[in-house]
């Protein structure tokens, strides 16, 4: 199995773990905020589950499907993180449409959106840079 597909499987496991962690009481504070920062709702869980399943299906399917996943997923998640950083709500989970801009502390804005910035940025690197250097035949 090539590196691109292996990273796709890692994204599958990671995103499914995000969904699972949301249901473990030990990760919530007294107000029900995950890691004391934010609440995950059905829309967030659906987004993360869909993204994880998409990564897993792509990694299982082929190198080309996984490369396409990273090329689409990366910019979408990164842009969602940028929007959330400035407005407190992103667009992928419909938060900006459901709740509008949210006023939070700078700490909450940064740490609530940092995961989307990091995984989206890394996905773009994988989809465009790493995939371009690999000599694997596209199936």
């Amino acid at each position: 199995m090539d590196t691109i597909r292996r990273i796709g499987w890692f994204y599958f496991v990671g995103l499914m773990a995000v969904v699972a962690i949301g249901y473990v009481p030990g990760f919530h504070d007294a107000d029900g905020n995950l890691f004391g920062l934010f609440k995950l709702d059905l829309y967030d869980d659906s987004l993360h589950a869909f993204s994880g399943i998409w990564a897993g299906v792509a990694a299982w399917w082929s190198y080309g499907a996984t490369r396409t996943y990273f090329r689409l997923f990366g910019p979408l998640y990164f842009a969602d993180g940028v929007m959330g950083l400035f407005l407190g709500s992103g667009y992928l989970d419909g938060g900006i449409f459901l709740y509008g801009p949210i006023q939070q502390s700078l700490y909450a804005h940064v740490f609530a959106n940092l995961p989307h910035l990091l995984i989206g940025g890394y996905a773009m690197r994988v989809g465009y840079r790493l995939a371009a250097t690999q000599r694997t035949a596209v199936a």
Side-chain angles (χ1 to χ4, degrees):
M1 179 178 302
D2 57 75
T3 304
I4 303 297
R5 291 173 78 183
R6 241 183 267 126
I7 297 170
W9 282 116
F10 178 77
Y11 268 63
F12 165 73
V13 170
L15 286 162
M16 299 314 285
V18 167
V19 174
I21 285 172
Y23 295 96
V24 177
F27 291 106
H28 294 85
D29 66 7
D31 296 326
N33 292 323
L34 189 62
F35 303 117
L37 294 171
F38 49 83
K39 290 184 184 345
L40 292 178
D41 56 19
L42 179 63
Y43 301 111
D44 296 308
D45 288 341
S46 299
L47 168 67
H48 293 130
F50 173 77
S51 300
I53 291 167
W54 181 19
V57 169
W60 170 77
W61 195 267
S62 70
Y63 167 84
T66 312
R67 183 189 61 210
T68 300
Y69 166 79
F70 284 120
R71 288 181 176 183
L72 294 173
F73 171 87
L76 288 172
Y77 259 59
F78 188 82
D80 187 66
V82 170
M83 186 174 190
L85 187 63
F86 290 104
L87 299 177
S89 294
Y91 63 89
L92 286 176
D93 65 352
I96 195 68
F97 307 109
L98 296 169
Y99 314 116
I102 297 174
Q103 294 298 322
Q104 297 172 313
S105 68
L106 178 61
Y107 174 81
H109 273 275
V110 170
F111 286 102
N113 292 290
L114 191 59
H116 280 217
L117 295 170
L118 293 175
I119 66 174
Y122 187 70
M124 287 189 290
R125 182 172 176 81
V126 169
Y128 288 101
R129 282 261 174 112
L130 186 59
T133 62
Q134 286 217 340
R135 301 290 180 213
T136 306
V138 178

